[in-house]
Structures are given as structure tokens and as C-alpha cells.
Amino acid sequence: MHDLPTLLREYDRARAYTDDLWRDLTPDEVIWRPHEDSSAIGWHLGHQAHVAHFMIRNLTAAEPSPDPELDAVMDSANPERFRGALPTVERLTAFRDTVAERVHVRIGDIAAGRVGAPTQLSIVATHLLTALINHEYQHDQWISEVRTDDLGHALPPDPESDRLSRVDGYLVCNPYA
């Protein structure tokens, strides 16, 4: 059986690293865009949660968006200039926290067998969580580059885990390490 609680801890570790990358920034730095066709750090924060919500919703449990007004703003299929204004840092934080809570609840239900087809969903959940973790780190790389190169802030140390390595410059979680 897959170790979903361990992967949930890796998901929390990835989210904590994201927080280390942005929580000390000013609201202006969070919404600043390096150029017209570039996304702000705040967009990446919302997009990470947006993807987590849609993956959980579409692969394991149909449920409404925690903030439907943000769906179009955080969808990478929409070109930057058509996404609309970013929400406040407080709203982004609440969105991220709500989605993370929902990920925990749904994966917890799967791990405990409180779902139809628990063995099948356990396999799905393992790959889903791995994708969510690696997606978080994928956008952390861009946040890191803007944080250091454009905003002049030092980077926090990489998170420590036996499951993490760098591939093509990106932190990557291997669920089978």
C-alpha cells in the first residue's frame, strides 16, 4: 500500500517552502510583475492552489471551488493580460489554506479507506499528491528566480527530505525514495 500520510507531509513541506519564499515580501512585491507578459509571485501562489483544487476535484471528489471568482484568474490557460487583477495577499493565503485543508481531508479519507474503491483511489492519490508536490516546487523555482534576481532577496535553504532531489534545477519529489 502506498504511504499517503508520508506524501501528505511532503505536500506540507512543499507548501512550507513556498511560504518561506514569499511570506517576508511586501504586498507590492507579491503582486509585482517583471514584465507585461509575466505572472506575479501572487499569481503563482494562487495557481498552485488552483491546480491542487482541480486535481482533487476532478480525480477523486467532485466539489465546488473554494473561491470561484479566482478560477479564471489562476488558470494558466488564460493569457496573462486576460486573467484579471490579483486578489489581496490575505485572500490568496485563505485560498491556499482552504485548498490544502481539502487536500488533507480527501487524501485522509482515501488513506483510511473511507471511499469507494479505496485501493484504486490510493494509487490515484499517490500519483496525484506527487504531481501536486512537484507542481508546487515547479512554481517555487520561478518564485525563487524573481525573489533573488528581480527583488534582491536571499533564498531560504532548500527543504530537507530523503525524497527530494534537483532535476534540471527544479526540486522534485520521488514518492518511492
Side-chain angles (χ1 to χ4, degrees), residues 29-47:
E29 289 174 317
V30 172
I31 64 168
W32 177 79
R33 293 174 22 195
H35 55 79
E36 178 180 296
D37 291 321
S38 180
S39 302
I41 287 172
W43 178 83
H44 289 272
L45 298 172
H47 174 73

Side-chain angles (χ1 to χ4, degrees), residues 74-121:
M74 300 306 167
D75 190 342
S76 61
N78 293 329
E80 175 65 39
R81 63 184 168 270
F82 300 124
R83 291 183 189 152
L86 287 174
T88 64
V89 169
E90 295 79 17
R91 188 171 174 193
L92 278 172
T93 302
F95 182 63
R96 287 178 57 82
D97 290 347
T98 298
V99 169
E101 289 168 13
R102 288 181 175 188
V103 168
H104 271 269
V105 168
R106 185 61 179 164
I107 299 300
D109 286 345
I110 293 168
R114 293 186 299 264
V115 295
T119 304
Q120 184 268 350
L121 276 178

Side-chain angles (χ1 to χ4, degrees), residues 9 11 41 77 81 88-89 91 94 111 139-140 146 165 173-174:
R9 286 190 297 278
Y11 173 67
I41 287 172
R81 63 184 168 270
T88 64
V89 169
R91 188 171 174 193
H139 285 271
D140 286 351
V146 170
S165 59
C173 176
N174 176 354

Side-chain angles (χ1 to χ4, degrees), residues 141 166-172:
Q141 182 63 32
R166 283 209 176 259
V167 176
D168 296 332
Y170 293 84
L171 283 169
V172 176

